[in-house]
Amino acid sequence: MSDTEEEIHEEEIVVSDDQKIDIAKWFLLNSPPGEIQYVANDLRSVLNDDNVYQLAASQAFPVYNKSHIVCLQFPNRSGDVLISSFSEISEDEYLDPRTAQVAKVDHVRQICTQMRPARDDELPSHYVEEYRCALDAEISKYVGEAYSKGVFSVYCTNGKEVEEPGLDFELVVVITATRHSPKNFCNGSWVSIWNIEFKDELQTVEIRGKMQVGAHYFEEGNVQLDAKHECRDSTMFQSPDDSAVSLMEIIRHHESEYLTSLQASYSNLPDSTFKELRRKLPVTRTLFPWHNTMQFSLTRDLTKELGIGK
């Protein structure tokens, strides 16, 4: 290779600091649930440039924490705060409406560093707070029954200043649950967000729900699940306690229905999705027996081998 060719080759592989930052941010933002710290440690080693890493991390972690609604413990372990766009007071301050406290967070380290009481202008009026508290109490019962490691919060996102009946306001319920088990090569998360609009003139409450399930299994492979679902519903505008009960039942119904549909979808994998993952004529030149895919069931083989159910 000539000197000129060597110079061209060297120029082609040069990556600027800005490009390194963009690449690092991409990896951080696309980290599976609960795994961003592992990705960050690896990136730090690969980059071998602490300034580049710090710039990428400072930009990526806040976005990741909010999009995944990361839950952080208070410094004194007296409660939790959810990092989300609904709780955000400033770039590093987040409200916990249940305790009326604001947590200052270190996004990159994913910890709360300080707490302070929320100011009056950061909290809803007494009238709206009655509805928020009633809904908080009902959702607490539901999450305690439905999620082994569930965390939730109820925010007022519009109409905080409404002092009496006659005007509209909006609450948002955020429910999150995680299961991190890296020793078993498996991590997963559930996030559901319920926008609840109280419309006084129509005397109705409109509900919009978004549910997202993420899972990552990486023992001798790399399999990820990212499932999403949206729904709508409505109920009557009632007293705080009655509205809370109705809304909790609606949330319970839709989340249970979605989980049931997920279970049905994956139980039908051998007869549907699995077919799309395999060639009709494998490299062995032997047709795959689609009429009897269950003969390849790992569960069945283990059951037979271990004598389970005999």
Side-chain angles (χ1 to χ4, degrees):
M1 183 181 293
S2 67
D3 292 341
T4 303
E5 289 175 332
E6 288 181 355
E7 290 175 2
I8 293 174
H9 180 67
E10 289 177 358
E11 289 177 0
E12 289 176 346
I13 62 173
V14 170
V15 179
S16 69
D17 285 351
D18 287 342
Q19 289 174 313
K20 291 178 182 178
I21 291 170
D22 288 340
I23 294 169
K25 283 167 57 180
W26 187 92
F27 278 105
L28 290 169
L29 291 172
N30 286 278
S31 303
E35 297 178 34
I36 190 171
Q37 293 292 352
Y38 301 114
V39 174
N41 288 336
D42 290 341
L43 276 173
R44 196 167 200 160
S45 299
V46 171
L47 289 169
N48 196 29
D49 187 327
D50 204 53
N51 289 332
V52 169
Y53 167 77
Q54 291 295 345
L55 285 169
S58 65
Q59 296 175 38
F61 267 88
V63 177
Y64 181 92
N65 291 340
K66 286 191 287 185
S67 64
H68 287 263
I69 310 189
V70 171
C71 177
L72 302 179
Q73 278 193 335
F74 292 161
N76 58 5
R77 298 184 179 273
S78 62
D80 305 288
V81 63
L82 295 180
I83 308 305
S84 73
S85 58
F86 310 109
S87 59
E88 187 174 23
I89 301 295
S90 64
E91 186 177 350
D92 61 354
E93 288 191 322
Y94 294 84
L95 171 69
D96 175 47
R98 188 178 303 112
T99 61
Q101 294 188 89
V102 174
K104 187 170 185 178
V105 306
D106 183 325
H107 280 287
V108 176
R109 295 166 61 200
Q110 292 184 315
I111 61 170
C112 291
T113 57
Q114 296 178 21
M115 301 294 300
R116 68 167 175 83
R119 299 189 301 268
D120 289 344
D121 63 322
E122 295 168 340
L123 300 172
S125 67
H126 177 72
Y127 171 70
V128 174
E129 182 65 8
E130 281 189 304
Y131 281 88
R132 197 207 65 77
C133 282
L135 185 55
D136 186 285
E138 290 300 323
I139 297 297
S140 178
K141 298 175 188 176
Y142 164 61
V143 171
E145 296 169 0
Y147 299 92
S148 61
K149 294 183 179 180
V151 182
F152 77 96
S153 200
V154 182
Y155 307 97
C156 176
T157 54
N158 281 308
K160 287 193 299 184
E161 70 286 348
V162 175
E163 297 282 355
E164 58 187 20
L167 295 174
D168 301 343
F169 60 93
E170 183 176 358
L171 301 180
V172 172
V173 175
V174 177
I175 301 172
T176 179
T178 59
R179 181 175 181 180
H180 299 152
S181 185
K183 291 183 179 179
N184 294 313
F185 309 101
C186 184
N187 295 307
S189 68
W190 163 281
V191 172
S192 57
I193 299 172
W194 299 90
N195 293 77
I196 303 167
E197 295 182 71
F198 289 78
K199 299 191 173 183
D200 188 89
E201 184 177 354
L202 300 175
Q203 285 297 290
T204 62
V205 182
E206 296 185 359
I207 305 103
R208 291 177 286 114
K210 295 180 181 180
M211 291 161 270
Q212 181 171 353
V213 181
H216 184 210
Y217 180 77
F218 49 98
E219 184 176 16
E220 297 183 359
N222 185 8
V223 180
Q224 294 195 50
L225 163 70
D226 185 11
K228 299 177 183 179
H229 177 68
E230 296 187 12
C231 60
R232 288 178 175 268
D233 213 321
S234 63
T235 186
M236 294 175 58
F237 196 138
Q238 304 173 79
S239 68
D241 290 340
D242 292 338
S243 291
V245 172
S246 297
L247 290 167
M248 182 271 291
E249 290 299 335
I250 288 173
I251 291 172
R252 181 196 296 272
H253 166 73
H254 284 287
E255 292 193 349
S256 299
E257 190 176 62
Y258 179 50
L259 285 172
T260 300
S261 70
L262 276 179
Q263 291 171 345
S265 296
Y266 294 113
S267 66
N268 292 330
L269 272 176
D271 296 322
S272 57
T273 310
F274 186 41
K275 292 184 179 181
E276 303 299 324
L277 302 177
R278 293 294 301 268
R279 295 172 51 173
K280 292 184 178 179
L281 189 62
V283 292
T284 60
R285 312 304 295 173
T286 303
L287 288 173
F288 192 78
W290 294 116
H291 62 283
N292 188 22
T293 55
M294 290 306 293
Q295 67 175 290
F296 297 97
S297 170
L298 178 61
T299 303
R300 191 213 67 223
D301 292 345
L302 288 173
T303 302
K304 179 180 178 181
E305 188 71 25
L306 298 176
I308 299 172
K310 291 183 179 181

